Amino acid sequence: QQKVQQSPESLSVPEGGMASLNCTSSDRNFQYFWWYRQHSGEGPKALMSIFSDGDKKEGRFTAHLNKASLHVSLHIRDSQPSDSALYFCAAGASSGSWQLIFGSGTQLTVMP
Amino acid sequence: EAAVTQSPRNKVTVTGGNVTLSCRQTNSHNYMYWYRQDTGHGLRLIHYSYGAGNLQIGDVPDGYKATRTTQEDFFLLLELASPSQTSLYFCASSDVGLGVQDTQYFGPGTRLLVL
């Protein structure tokens, strides 16, 4: 079983709608979480990080972290066709390793 | 924004062949990483380095060697390529000091096909 699991595998939302992506870790050592976004034909690009419980908002993007349940989510408000991409959740441990563990991704399609 | 370049962008080789993938970053980042991306597995770390001459093993190192010749340059070597190594390879870099709290900057990727 992967240490970082994402759901759903794919998601379609209408333009202007809300997209919600989920990520759960199975390792309590993971304390730092990232969302990366990858457009087709490009490398992943960091979207936002969240290291503390609660919400973190950056423009139309809001991440939510619950460390007790090892669950992190990403909500995209007013989704745009340019948001169509593969979204990765990544987790890192609080000590000892420089390694990020990536989930398998959620493919988001925003329909015009 | 940090710049990471990779070459070649596409490569086709035969089973048993030698392949070298190149990565260069021009932002004086200390850490560099090699990942492979496969459907259903996301990104998996092969090797990483925290400076010239240093090499650390990642999660899926079998069949791969890596070498960090300078602060800027990180190479991934497949000495006896196998079809299971057909994949999309990404190089990334990050600055010093904060470990997993640092942003990783990815290159555009190299698509490798092993026949």
Side-chain angles (χ1 to χ4, degrees):
Chain A
Q1 184 184 12
Q2 284 191 302
K3 287 188 174 182
V4 177
Q5 294 186 298
Q6 291 185 244
S7 63
E9 288 185 14
S10 62
L11 177 65
S12 292
V13 299
E15 183 175 356
M18 173 76 83
S20 294
L21 290 67
N22 297 292
C23 175
T24 302
S25 167
S26 60
D27 190 334
R28 293 219 161 264
N29 289 318
F30 290 154
Q31 295 290 301
Y32 303 104
F33 294 87
W34 288 86
W35 287 99
Y36 279 76
R37 180 166 76 173
Q38 183 182 25
H39 285 108
S40 181
E42 298 179 4
K45 185 174 180 179
L47 191 59
M48 62 191 301
S49 61
I50 184 164
F51 303 151
S52 301
D53 276 331
D55 291 336
K56 182 178 182 181
K57 185 177 179 181
E58 293 185 0
R60 295 184 294 108
F61 299 86
T62 300
H64 177 80
L65 173 60
N66 182 328
K67 287 189 178 182
S69 62
L70 298 177
H71 181 260
V72 61
S73 57
L74 179 68
H75 305 278
I76 307 172
R77 174 179 54 86
D78 188 23
S79 296
Q80 301 298 308
S82 58
D83 294 325
S84 296
L86 183 60
Y87 288 76
F88 289 109
C89 173
S94 56
S95 64
S97 172
W98 293 80
Q99 183 175 334
L100 279 178
I101 305 298
F102 285 80
S104 57
T106 292
Q107 182 67 51
L108 173 65
T109 302
V110 181
M111 300 170 293
Chain B
E1 171 128 338
V4 180
T5 57
Q6 295 183 235
S7 63
R9 295 296 310 277
N10 293 280
K11 177 72 177 179
V12 180
T13 190
V14 296
T15 298
N18 266 344
V19 176
T20 298
L21 307 184
S22 302
C23 175
R24 167 165 284 198
Q25 55 93 6
T26 57
N27 292 280
S28 300
H29 284 172
N30 281 11
Y31 279 74
M32 296 185 74
Y33 312 81
W34 277 108
Y35 291 91
R36 60 177 291 173
Q37 181 179 3
D38 305 286
T39 303
H41 292 279
L43 291 156
R44 291 180 291 175
L45 185 65
I46 304 171
H47 290 297
Y48 65 105
S49 165
Y50 55 74
N54 176 265
L55 183 65
Q56 303 293 317
I57 294 173
D59 282 339
V60 289
D62 292 346
Y64 302 96
K65 292 184 179 180
T67 181
R68 179 90 176 268
T69 55
T70 65
Q71 181 81 350
E72 295 78 21
D73 297 304
F74 195 29
F75 300 92
L76 186 67
L77 296 81
L78 291 72
E79 293 185 332
L80 289 171
S82 73
S84 64
Q85 294 176 307
T86 292
S87 188
L88 180 57
Y89 291 86
F90 286 102
C91 176
S93 72
S94 66
D95 208 345
V96 67
L98 297 178
V100 294
Q101 298 178 62
D102 275 321
T103 301
Q104 292 190 18
Y105 296 90
F106 284 80
T110 294
R111 191 168 293 279
L112 175 66
L113 174 61
V114 183
L115 300 173

